[in-house]
Amino acid sequence: MSAAADWQELHFTAHKDQVKSLEDWLFARGALSVTLEDEADQPLLEPGPGETPLWDAVRLTALFAGHEDLAPLLGEVPPELCTQTPAAAVPVADREWTRVWEDQFHPLQIGERLWICPSWTPPPNPDAINILLDPGLAFGTGTHPTTAMCLRALDADLPPGKRVVDYGCGSGILGIAAARLGATAVLGVDNDPQAITASRDNARRNEVPDAAFPVVLPQDHLVADWQASADWVVANILAGPLVALAPVLTSLMVPGGRLLLAGLLADQAEAIIEAYAPEVTLSVADQQEEWVLLGGLKH
Ligand SMILES: C[S@@+](CC[C@H](N)C(=O)[O-])C[C@H]1O[C@@H](n2cnc3c(N)ncnc32)[C@H](O)[C@@H]1O
């Protein structure tokens, strides 16, 4: 351990079934935080609220204070808690995390009119539709292919004056974009309370009033009020939930309304097209990397 280190990290590899016990063990031994990442590049957007991982093989990073002697701890890691134990702690200098973000996130043009701009740089094109959005706890900064494909489709095809549902709104990025592109009413829905808060905060920062973009949990009465009234429904979730949500999403739409679904991989498209076939004829509208966007009109 370097004497100058402010923090130190231990990197473990574990199977998903071991993660909870390893986390508990590390916290009991003084870890200040434990973060989880995909070890094997297995695509998955994020776990649902309260869900445990995730990927089969997980990389755990445990953060400890810099002054702690972690050698005894490393000698005591129960072998049944991980598949790979670190040989040594990695010293970490105290970084200003906002600076790391500032280095990573830059203004991003998506489609013709939309720019997603972090707050720390002035929008490069003041005449564009600039959506101010900083990375936060809720998913959706525009950098993920699934979000980018939805934004491009909204930018290209959403006529003004429409009623739009952003189901699985996360940061609220799609709903905010729809409102700024001229939708008259937008409903945001998410089952994660953190996403509701993030969407509301982001909408206000983008001068989208609460009344123009209410954001609610799925069981809220507003979702019932919107039955059969949405001209567009956009949902960027994951293949499994998209199949399960088919009756909910299609019941929100007017006949002839447009549905956009993202969050699925190319080889998952067929199952989703089939699940929606009774109500909407979907086809692949876009593909970016291994992700596809499905689009179609309600019968
Ligand atoms: C991949 S993020 C998409 C965020 C944003 N719409 C975007 O395009 O970047 C998926 C969001 O869907 C939410 N979600 C997942 N399952 C859901 C469900 N069954 N009902 C409502 N929201 C759900 C998650 O909490 C998450 O915020």
Side-chain angles (χ1 to χ4, degrees), residues 29 51 68 96 149 210 212 221 246 287 293:
R29 301 302 300 257
E51 283 174 14
E68 280 197 44
E96 217 201 299
M149 286 191 293
D210 292 1
H221 70 90
Q287 170 150 13
L293 176 75

Side-chain angles (χ1 to χ4, degrees), residues 45-46 139-140 147 166-170 173-174 190-192 236-237:
L45 292 181
E46 59 173 27
F139 185 101
T147 312
D166 172 6
Y167 208 101
C169 55
I173 186 170
L174 303 180
D190 206 291
N191 62 358
D192 182 348
N236 174 16
I237 308 188

